[in-house]
Amino acid sequence: MKVKVGILSAGADCPGINSAIHWFVYSAMDRDLIPERGMIFDIIGIIDGWKGLIEVKPDKKDSLNKWTMKLTPEIVRTWDRYGGTRLGTTRINPFDPKNDKSDILIKNIKALGLDALVVIGGFDNLGVAYRLYRENINVVGIPKTIDKDLSETDYTLGFDSAVNIITKDIDRLRITAGSHSRIFIVESMGRKAGWLALEGGEASGANIILIPEHDFVIERVVELLKVRRKAGERYSIVLISEGAKPRGMEEIKERRGKDGFGHYYLGGVGGFLAEEIEKRTRLEVRYVALRHLQRGGAPTAYDRRMGRKFGIAAVDMIVNDDFGRMVSLKQGEIATVPLKKALEKLNLVDVEKYYNTKNYKSLDRIL
Ligand code: F6P
């Protein structure tokens, strides 16, 4: 039996996506497995995520060449070692109530003859995948987001690479912070979930970690910094999530407004905090926002490996008619979970379990 499968990445890019695509294609085309599976795969990469599926004119060759590409092992051979997404991506919500494009998208999926669609996405875009599933499209989800805020999986592609970038950048900042006896406020991504700051802070040994799940008190941050200075520490590193907020305040938003899913773009809380500390102390403070640097560069070994595992599992899911579900890592094992369940709530840091609300750092203890 021949199956035609579309694969796309949607929402923010991150390292590990290309690895998932590479291994999806390699596993689908594995000659040894074809007789066992009884399936011959024809894989179509969709360019720029949902945009490609909306814009494509399936009866026009030029348009097909622009918005789709046939994926073979020869084509994706080296993709696994590169960051970003070779298929491109966009932040478009096809179900946006103000600009609904879902009808045309579903029509195009059918006109392209896709028997299944693999969606590599985070919470919002797997949400789109789930809505398509409810419209009788055979979807399979692969979780990716550096925020690691998707439920029902212990891992989302991109997270480990981002934590490594945070760690290496903080290592660099320590050197100059120490030379000048300065405080560095480092702002990480992480809109609602503080995993990046928490785990990046643990890995790098940041002295203060501020996360969206627990509103901080500026005076307490100042107090902790003064205590360190009194104890003879030349410098301090404060790692703050972009979504963290001082008690009684809203998140600090960027001027760009909202994305297609109605979320404000965040950024700047680190700068705000730096100024507040300088106002209250004589300490010299500098602010660095890591922003999209955290999503750049090559995937770490772990992201390549997880991309591999997730990509191969997605082929198995198609073979087993396991649709409307997402690949997941659960307690070290690859599993599949219903998208519906994964989308019930965001995976946020459990403050009671993992965060020290007094000293603003991770709670390191045996549970
Ligand atoms: O959702 C992942 C993420 O990296 C967030 O941490 C961040 O707030 C957002 O994407 C940035 O989005 P963009 O790349 O569209 O600026």
Side-chain angles (χ1 to χ4, degrees):
M1 184 177 65
K2 279 202 169 191
V3 278
K4 194 170 182 185
V5 180
I7 182 164
L8 61 83
S9 48
D13 72 338
C14 66
I17 296 177
N18 284 324
S19 181
I21 300 169
H22 168 107
W23 287 106
F24 177 78
V25 174
Y26 265 62
S27 173
M29 305 286 177
D30 190 330
R31 286 191 183 83
D32 291 343
L33 290 175
I34 288 173
E36 200 178 295
R37 290 179 180 140
M39 267 186 189
I40 297 175
F41 280 80
D42 181 12
I43 304 177
I44 309 297
I46 311 289
I47 308 300
D48 288 349
W50 305 121
K51 183 170 187 201
L53 277 181
I54 291 165
E55 298 288 330
V56 69
K57 308 263 176 298
D59 52 343
K60 297 218 163 71
K61 203 161 173 253
D62 280 0
S63 174
L64 278 173
N65 286 341
K66 182 170 176 195
W67 296 111
T68 66
M69 72 191 281
K70 194 174 163 67
L71 298 181
T72 61
E74 293 69 39
I75 288 186
V76 301
R77 190 171 60 85
T78 60
W79 287 21
D80 53 335
R81 48 210 96 148
Y82 295 100
T85 163
R86 285 281 167 106
L87 290 177
T89 185
T90 42
R91 274 200 189 277
I92 284 185
N93 177 9
F95 290 96
D96 186 343
K98 284 189 224 125
N99 187 19
D100 195 311
K101 298 272 188 210
S102 57
D103 283 352
I104 173 125
L105 185 136
I106 292 168
K107 215 174 92 209
N108 283 342
I109 292 175
K110 290 184 178 150
L112 289 168
L114 300 181
D115 302 301
L117 182 66
V118 178
V119 178
I120 309 174
F123 190 87
D124 292 325
N125 290 287
L126 291 179
V128 172
Y130 179 61
R131 289 186 74 166
L132 291 175
Y133 174 65
R134 284 187 5 219
E135 303 285 339
N136 296 320
I137 307 292
N138 290 331
V139 300
V140 162
I142 295 183
K144 65 91 213 165
T145 160
I146 65 163
D147 289 12
K148 206 177 72 169
D149 58 3
L150 256 166
S151 295
E152 293 298 305
T153 182
D154 296 340
Y155 194 67
T156 58
L157 297 179
F159 179 73
D160 185 65
S161 301
V163 168
N164 271 277
I165 292 166
I166 294 172
T167 308
K168 284 184 190 138
D169 283 348
I170 289 183
D171 280 350
R172 286 194 181 96
L173 291 173
R174 279 177 187 289
I175 296 167
T176 170
S179 306
H180 287 267
S181 270
R182 283 174 175 155
I183 291 166
F184 265 85
I185 313 290
V186 184
E187 186 182 294
S188 71
M189 281 187 169
R191 259 199 286 225
K192 296 275 177 216
W195 297 112
L196 273 176
L198 190 71
E199 295 190 35
E202 285 173 349
S204 62
N207 309 109
I208 295 178
I209 300 172
L210 303 170
I211 58 174
E213 292 85 344
H214 182 77
D215 292 356
F216 62 91
V217 176
I218 299 173
E219 280 67 26
R220 179 64 185 151
V221 175
V222 169
E223 215 169 82
L224 290 169
L225 290 170
K226 282 186 179 162
V227 169
R228 283 182 53 76
R229 187 51 66 100
K230 253 199 196 142
E233 302 290 352
R234 279 180 67 83
Y235 72 93
S236 296
I237 305 282
V238 179
L239 180 55
I240 181 167
S241 299
E242 61 181 0
K245 48 189 189 314
R247 193 176 290 169
M249 280 178 65
E250 292 279 290
E251 291 109 335
I252 297 196
K253 298 168 183 111
E254 260 192 50
R255 266 171 300 163
R256 267 190 302 162
K258 293 183 188 174
D259 68 13
F261 294 90
H263 308 298
Y264 280 103
Y265 283 106
L266 301 180
V269 67
F272 169 80
L273 179 61
E275 275 180 28
E276 292 300 311
I277 296 168
E278 280 196 325
K279 271 190 221 159
R280 291 165 165 80
T281 66
R282 292 221 196 127
L283 302 171
E284 214 187 327
V285 190
R286 293 291 185 270
Y287 157 58
V288 173
L290 300 179
R291 315 229 36 159
H292 295 82
L293 288 172
Q294 290 158 101
R295 296 219 309 258
T300 55
Y302 190 72
D303 266 318
R304 289 188 206 192
R305 229 186 112 235
M306 292 314 296
R308 174 192 171 109
K309 301 262 177 211
F310 285 1
I312 293 173
V315 175
D316 290 343
M317 288 166 78
I318 294 170
V319 172
N320 297 331
D321 270 348
D322 199 7
F323 297 117
R325 297 171 76 89
M326 168 184 100
V327 188
S328 126
L329 178 74
K330 280 202 156 179
Q331 290 167 348
E333 306 286 347
I334 300 295
T336 80
V337 293
L339 280 170
K340 185 171 191 284
K341 187 119 203 279
L343 298 167
E344 273 168 13
K345 57 176 175 25
L346 282 173
N347 170 29
L348 302 180
V349 172
D350 180 340
V351 171
E352 237 171 74
K353 232 171 160 182
Y354 301 123
Y355 189 66
N356 179 335
T357 54
K358 194 163 157 248
N359 291 335
Y360 297 157
K361 55 186 192 169
S362 68
L363 199 52
D364 295 304
R365 57 168 189 194
I366 296 169
L367 292 170

